[in-house]
Amino acid sequence: MYQSFIGLEIHIHLTAETKAFCGCKAHFGDEENTNICPVCMGFPGVLPTLNEKAMQMSYVVARALNCTLSPNTKFDRKNYFYPDMPKNYQISQFSDPVGRDGYIDIEIGDSIKRVRIHDVHFEEDAGKMIHAGDMSLLDYNRAGYPLLEVVTEPDLVIGEDAEAFLKSFRRLVRYLGVCDGNMDEGSMRCDANVSINHQGAGLGPKVEIKNLNSSRFVRKALNYEIGRQSEFMDADKKIDQETRLWNENRDQSEPMRKKEDDNDYRYFPEPDLPPFKPSAEFLKNVENGLCELPLVRKQRLMKSYGLNSDQAEYIHEEKFVADFFEQAVFNGADAVQVYSWLSSDVKKLLNRKGISLENSPLSAERLAKLIDMIADDQISGKIAKKVLDYIFDEDQDPETICIDKKLVQISDPGVIGKIVDEVMAAHSNVVEAVKAGDARQMGFLVGQIMKVSGGNAAPAVVQSVLKEKVLG
Ligand SMILES: [Zn+2]
C-alpha cells in the first residue's frame, strides 16, 4: 500500500479594477493589447506603484484562511523568461508573503477536514500567448493583473479531496467578493503537486501538474497521476521530479519539463517597490472585509432553520441566495417553503430567462408575501405559480397582481355551491352514476368545477360542497 500526498497552488485574479503596479484596467475580454502602459510592459526607467486595494483583498483572503498576517510584506523579483512576460521577471513575494501558516476547514463527503495553508502571496500575472495556425500571438492585457497565490500543505490524499477543496475555496473567494472564481475565463487557476511513497515513509518525489482549469480536471488528473506513480513503484522504477501537463483530450498527464528549484529563479528583493507595512486603519478595513464563511453559514442554516444537509448545501452555495433566503424567512415565510420555491419554480424561471436571482424582479419580501398568501388560503399553490410568472414579467408585488388579474382563491361555500349546481345540472348522468355507487366519477365532477371557476376554487371546499350535494 502506498500513501499519496496532494498540495495545491491556486491562483486567483483579484477583482480590483486596475493592475497590480500601474493604473491600467484589469478587465477580461477587452480587445488585445489595449490595456497596457510602459509600467506593465516593463519599459526601462519606469516605476511600479502598489495597488493598495488589491493588497487589501490579499490580506482579507489571508485572514479568512486563518494565516498569520505579515506586519511588513516585501516584494521580490522572480527571474525567468517566457515570451508572455515582457520584463523577464515577475514581481512576486518570496521571503515575506502576505500571510503564512493558516488553515481552512472543508467538507469532504460527510466529514470535515482541516487543510493547512503554507502561505498566501501577492504577485502579478503574465500575458497570454495565443497560438493560431503556425503563428504565435501575444496579448499583454493580462500582464500585471493582481494575482493572489494560495499554497496548501500536502494534506489532501486523493483527487476527490482536491476537487472538494477547490469548490470550497471558490465559494470562499466569491463570498469575500475578491474573485469571481470563473475558471473558464482564467480568474481562478490551479496547479497541483502530487507525490506517493510507501506507507509511513514521508513525501516522495514531487510531480507538479500545471494549468488545471476545472475542478473536474483536478480530480481526474490527480487520480490518474496517483495511478501512474503507483505503477512505477510497483515496477521499482524511479519517479522523476518534474512538471507535467494534463491532456484533457487523452485523459492523461504528459511530461512538460524538469521541475525548477526555487534557486533557479534567482529571487532577489524588488528594488523599485518599498516593503508594505499595513497601518492600523488598513487592518481595520481588512477585518471589515471579512464575512461569515460558507461552511459556518451552512452549519448555521441547518441549525437555525431546520434545513437538512442537501437543502443547506443548495442555499449556502451563493452568498446572495443565502442572504435572500434569510431575508424571506425574516419576513415571515416558512424556511422549508422558501427553500422549495427557490430550488424549483424560481430556479426554473431564472434558467428560462437566463438571469440570476440578484438581477430578477423577485425580492425576498415578494417571495415571503407569496408564501404567506398560500398559507392564509388567499391563493392556491397553483395560482401562486401563475403569480410568480407575473412577478417576473411585470415586476409587481403579488397582492397587486392578484387584484389586477382577479387571481383570488374562491373559498366561499355559497359561491362554490352555485358552480357545483351548474356542473351537476350539465352532467346529470354522471351525478346519477355517483349516486348509484360509482365513486370514481367524483373526480370528473371536481375537474369540471375547477375548470368553470378558472382554477380559482379552493379544492378542499369544492370537495366538501360537492360531497354534500351529491351524496346528501
Ligand atoms: Zn499598465
Side-chain angles (χ1 to χ4, degrees), residues 379-399:
I379 52 174
S380 65
K382 208 171 153 193
I383 294 176
K385 289 182 191 207
K386 277 193 211 167
V387 176
L388 185 69
D389 278 336
Y390 282 122
I391 294 176
F392 273 75
D393 290 339
E394 301 185 358
D395 194 2
Q396 286 284 356
D397 288 330
E399 300 100 316

Side-chain angles (χ1 to χ4, degrees), residues 417-431 445 466:
K418 278 185 196 145
I419 302 174
V420 173
D421 289 342
E422 201 182 303
V423 168
M424 282 172 70
H427 301 281
S428 51
N429 52 335
V430 180
V431 175
L445 294 174
L466 183 64

Side-chain angles (χ1 to χ4, degrees), residues 86-157:
K87 295 194 290 239
N88 294 339
Y89 65 83
Q90 177 189 28
I91 302 180
S92 181
Q93 297 190 304
F94 185 59
S95 57
D96 286 288
V98 168
R100 279 185 200 283
D101 299 330
Y103 65 84
I104 177 176
D105 290 333
I106 62 166
E107 209 173 12
I108 300 176
D110 292 333
S111 59
I112 306 280
K113 183 178 174 67
R114 177 160 292 187
V115 180
R116 293 168 300 151
I117 304 294
H118 180 274
D119 76 86
V120 173
H121 62 264
F122 183 79
E123 60 187 26
E124 59 180 337
D125 204 354
K128 206 166 70 180
M129 189 125 86
I130 303 151
H131 302 285
D134 55 358
M135 276 193 303
S136 286
L137 305 168
L138 286 158
D139 175 12
Y140 290 114
N141 276 357
R142 209 177 65 182
Y145 257 50
L147 205 62
L148 195 68
E149 182 171 345
V150 173
V151 183
T152 78
E153 297 287 357
D155 289 347
L156 302 162
V157 180

Side-chain angles (χ1 to χ4, degrees), residues 164-182:
F165 183 94
L166 215 57
K167 284 183 176 165
S168 299
F169 184 76
R170 179 177 185 272
R171 208 180 281 131
L172 174 82
V173 294
R174 286 173 61 85
Y175 261 61
L176 294 170
V178 298
C179 176
D180 62 22
N182 198 332

Side-chain angles (χ1 to χ4, degrees), residues 37-236:
C37 75
V39 175
C40 53
M41 293 303 288
F43 288 1
V46 295
L47 282 178
T49 46
L50 177 65
N51 180 341
E52 196 162 312
K53 178 99 191 291
M55 191 43 84
Q56 179 130 0
M57 292 179 181
S58 308
Y59 270 81
V60 167
V61 175
R63 177 72 179 77
L65 293 173
N66 305 291
C67 288
T68 305
L69 301 183
S70 174
N72 186 8
T73 187
K74 292 206 289 277
F75 303 93
D76 299 281
R77 283 192 185 179
K78 184 177 181 181
N79 294 277
Y80 58 103
F81 175 80
Y82 277 141
D84 55 2
M85 204 176 56
K87 295 194 290 239
N88 294 339
Y89 65 83
Q90 177 189 28
I91 302 180
S92 181
Q93 297 190 304
F94 185 59
S95 57
D96 286 288
V98 168
R100 279 185 200 283
D101 299 330
Y103 65 84
I104 177 176
D105 290 333
I106 62 166
E107 209 173 12
I108 300 176
D110 292 333
S111 59
I112 306 280
K113 183 178 174 67
R114 177 160 292 187
V115 180
R116 293 168 300 151
I117 304 294
H118 180 274
D119 76 86
V120 173
H121 62 264
F122 183 79
E123 60 187 26
E124 59 180 337
D125 204 354
K128 206 166 70 180
M129 189 125 86
I130 303 151
H131 302 285
D134 55 358
M135 276 193 303
S136 286
L137 305 168
L138 286 158
D139 175 12
Y140 290 114
N141 276 357
R142 209 177 65 182
Y145 257 50
L147 205 62
L148 195 68
E149 182 171 345
V150 173
V151 183
T152 78
E153 297 287 357
D155 289 347
L156 302 162
V157 180
I158 51 170
E160 282 73 9
D161 297 354
E163 185 179 32
F165 183 94
L166 215 57
K167 284 183 176 165
S168 299
F169 184 76
R170 179 177 185 272
R171 208 180 281 131
L172 174 82
V173 294
R174 286 173 61 85
Y175 261 61
L176 294 170
V178 298
C179 176
D180 62 22
N182 198 332
M183 294 189 91
D184 295 338
E185 295 180 357
S187 329
M188 186 166 153
R189 310 195 291 267
C190 180
D191 302 337
N193 292 306
V194 55
S195 81
I196 75 167
N197 211 341
H198 294 285
Q199 200 80 34
L203 298 172
K206 193 163 85 173
V207 172
E208 183 176 22
I209 309 173
K210 282 271 189 207
N211 295 333
L212 295 162
N213 57 8
S214 87
S215 50
R216 194 166 55 91
F217 290 158
V218 168
R219 165 170 49 83
K220 287 170 80 174
L222 288 167
N223 286 343
Y224 172 87
E225 188 56 26
I226 290 168
R228 189 187 71 88
Q229 293 186 27
S230 302
E231 282 173 24
F232 268 61
M233 299 273 284
D234 286 343
D236 249 342

